[in-house]
């Protein structure tokens, strides 16, 4: 009955925390930080570029699910409209020229990208464009490809800070709490690195 009454499954994660054995303070691996969580996180509405008419206006349900996992932290999601082919490099990546408008004036400290195998070429272009525009936010890639082949993704996307396997809604809130407002120009503290 508890589960059916919940608006999302995130409350189950909170309930399960109560069953973990208490750790001595010297072994606590999740220190509390004095800094607030990241203020702004960049997401992409729906990366898939297809011939289907509705696709241009589609908001990915996966992206909305990720955003819902950090809503309670007061994080402002910033959305960009970038479209790329689902297979290889057969169509141009659209929307890269509009990224400067999205980045302008926004103090983004984390960029979240869902990576499918078919998006590989497009995501490489997307990351390169973000860096060309001076975006110094840390980048996290999650989704199918990082979950199935994290070593490959890490080896071939050196400009990415986080390779996320599995349920992103579980560790995205932790990442934004750990990072705070830091970016690539700000070295992480020892506590942040440990967390």
């Amino acid at each position: 009955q508890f589960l059916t009454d919940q608006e999302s499954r995130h409350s189950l994660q909170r309930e399960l925390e109560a069953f973990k054995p208490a750790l001595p303070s010297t072994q606590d691996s999740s220190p509390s930080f004095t800094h607030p969580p990241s203020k702004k996180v960049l997401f992409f509405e729906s990366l898939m570029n297809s011939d289907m008419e509705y696709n241009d206006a589609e908001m990915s349900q996966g992206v909305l699910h990720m955003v819902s996992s950090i809503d309670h932290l007061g994080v402002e999601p910033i959305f960009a409209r970038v479209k790329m082919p689902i297979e290889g490099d057969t169509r141009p990546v659209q929307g890269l020229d509009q990224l400067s408008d999205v980045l302008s004036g926004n103090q983004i400290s984390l960029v979240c990208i869902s990576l499918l195998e078919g998006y590989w070429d497009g995501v490489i272009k997307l990351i390169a464009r973000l860096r060309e525009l001076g975006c110094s936010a840390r980048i996290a890639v999650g989704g199918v490809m990082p979950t199935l082949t994290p070593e490959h993704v890490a080896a071939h996307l050196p400009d990415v800070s986080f390779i996320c396997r599995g349920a992103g809604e579980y560790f995205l809130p932790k990442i934004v709490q750990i990072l705070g407002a830091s970016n690539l120009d700000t070295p992480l503290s020892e506590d942040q690195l440990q967390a």
Side-chain angles (χ1 to χ4, degrees):
Q1 187 60 46
F2 169 79
L3 289 176
T4 57
D5 291 343
Q6 302 308 304
E7 292 180 16
S8 81
R9 64 182 184 191
H10 301 298
S11 50
L12 178 59
Q13 284 295 136
R14 290 191 293 273
E15 292 293 322
L16 289 173
E17 292 293 322
F19 291 102
K20 287 185 179 178
L23 296 173
S25 59
T26 56
Q27 294 179 5
D28 188 356
S29 62
S30 55
S32 58
F33 295 104
T34 56
H35 63 256
S38 301
K39 295 246 183 271
K40 296 183 180 185
V41 177
L42 177 62
F43 296 90
F44 297 92
E45 292 178 4
S46 177
L47 290 175
M48 182 172 59
N49 180 4
S50 78
D51 292 326
M52 295 178 217
E53 188 177 320
Y54 70 86
N55 180 255
D56 188 49
E58 179 184 66
M59 175 68 93
S60 166
Q61 295 300 303
V63 170
L64 291 175
H65 188 63
M66 290 298 105
V67 170
S68 74
S69 74
I70 56 174
D71 182 60
H72 68 286
L73 297 172
V75 176
E76 180 184 347
I78 306 296
F79 296 101
R81 185 182 209 95
V82 173
K83 296 286 187 177
M84 56 187 64
I86 188 67
E87 278 188 30
D89 216 4
T90 57
R91 298 178 192 173
V93 177
Q94 301 170 349
L96 293 180
D97 52 338
Q98 298 166 5
L99 281 176
S100 58
D101 294 339
V102 173
L103 296 173
S104 178
N106 282 318
Q107 299 293 326
I108 295 168
S109 54
L110 181 64
V111 176
C112 295
I113 301 173
S114 294
L115 177 59
L116 301 176
E117 293 88 340
Y119 294 160
W120 182 258
D121 295 318
V123 166
I124 289 172
K125 291 176 185 175
L126 172 59
I127 292 171
R129 185 68 181 140
L130 287 167
R131 296 307 186 212
E132 285 169 13
L133 292 170
C135 178
S136 60
R138 289 182 169 84
I139 298 174
V141 292
V144 176
M145 190 170 185
T147 296
L148 297 176
T149 60
E151 296 87 358
H152 179 83
V153 173
H156 296 285
L157 291 181
D159 216 10
V160 167
S161 300
F162 302 100
I163 310 296
C164 305
R165 286 186 84 179
E169 67 273 12
Y170 176 71
F171 41 75
L172 180 58
K174 294 181 181 201
I175 291 174
V176 299
Q177 289 175 333
I178 291 166
L179 290 181
S182 70
N183 59 31
L184 292 176
D185 300 326
T186 313
L188 295 177
S189 70
E190 189 59 38
D191 284 346
Q192 287 173 305
L193 289 172
Q194 286 301 315

